[in-house]
Amino acid sequence: MGKKAKSVGGKKKALERKIDKSSLPPPPPAPEDEVGSAKPLDKPALPGTGFKVLGEDGYDDGGVADLSLLIDLEDSVQRRKRGENEYFTALKADLLPRATRGPMAKMTRREQKVSLAQLLFSEDDDCEDKGPSEVYVEQDLVDEDDATMKHRSDRLAQARAALRLSLLLREPACASLSLSELCKRKLTQAGKDGAEEALRCANKAIEIAGPGFWDSDEVQLEAEDNPVLDPKYEKNATSPGLANPTTLKLLPLRVSQLCMRSALLQKGNSLAALGFEIEARETYENVFPILEGEPRCARVDWERHSVHVNIGNTHARGGDFEKADAHYVIAEALGADHISEAGGSEDDGRAMILCAKRARSFALKKVGRMEDAKTLMAEVIKQKISDDAISAKRKEEEAAKAAEAGGEDSAVVAN
């Protein structure tokens, strides 16, 4: 117990520090009760944005609940760890971890978390890696223009900034996701030349997401613009991973699973860039058990689709078209399901089919079946033009309906 204040000023400050428990929000739910986006919604969250889950009742929330778990705007983990009284006392006294220097110094911890989410998940309309597909594409950097290369470098710098901020805020889930993004963006920016650095980032993301321990100083190195490894550095892994029993008392296992899914996919891509096809294939296959039980929605099916196409591509690069095509067939079927079932995401379904066909065309080319490859690619181009026209028409119809509904609402208000 500390000394009691005796002066008037001291008593006033003590009173200001005291927390009014009646004004506190409800305590966070137990970690095991937080299931994120694994539980479908009864109805679409927003008209035209929520698609039906295939094979069961309910709608996907677009990953909003999963994002809430990862970013943890309500600071549920810190509240469970410190206790309500200690947490809100520290919050009032500005003692919680946050960036206190630089352009974010005047922002609250919550505001900094919002900025972190923007660094990790926001995509410009002209961003080349915009979209749900995580299929590895070999980069040809020779003919890229300066504007494209600058954009890629800027995206890489954003991922490094996200990692620095994640470590300052002491948010390991965001640190793991930042490392996965660093891996992805390094492959895009530097191609095969950046594959070793990308693989290093992916391995660290997996360490954070796993059940063991990780070294925060070792991870901090990846936040530097030009990381240089000290060959004499002795690893000191003392921070518990997201699936560590100690951590699971504070946050749900789903957080670890979400980070691990992303990290494994990017590790597989890094191994593929290095030419380690068997190791890449084994890494991709480790994603499937984590996806078991996930809803059949477009968002998750894109992950399944990407894994199948990536596995197929490892076979194709090894010259085994039959094994490659078996995975392309599965990837194509995932897309077809979204077209055939009422309420499914038709645009995503058509995009999945085109992606699988495009991969099949390249696989045919790899084994010397040039005419078959050309014929299939011509079919892909024709279908892409048709699909874009259908999608544009649907968007126009939806915009017209929205405008009409808005006009009716205005008329009702006026009357």
Side-chain angles (χ1 to χ4, degrees), residues 299-358:
R299 176 177 53 84
V300 182
D301 273 358
W302 265 114
E303 279 189 72
R304 297 183 176 102
H305 177 277
S306 297
V307 175
H308 277 294
V309 173
N310 280 326
I311 292 174
N313 288 346
T314 64
H315 287 298
R317 287 190 291 268
D320 193 334
F321 176 77
E322 298 305 320
K323 286 185 178 179
D325 196 46
H327 286 278
Y328 301 149
V329 168
I330 296 171
E332 204 169 332
L334 287 169
D337 289 344
H338 284 275
I339 296 173
S340 61
E341 184 158 335
S345 176
E346 293 184 27
D347 285 348
D348 285 295
R350 281 193 289 269
M352 288 181 201
I353 291 173
L354 282 180
C355 182
K357 285 183 175 180
R358 191 180 297 113

Side-chain angles (χ1 to χ4, degrees), residues 16 38 81 83 85 97 119 127 131 177-178 226 249 273 336 353 356 361 400:
E16 288 174 352
K81 184 177 181 179
N85 191 57
L119 284 171
C127 187
L177 290 174
S178 299
N226 295 296
K249 295 176 183 178
I353 291 173
S361 174

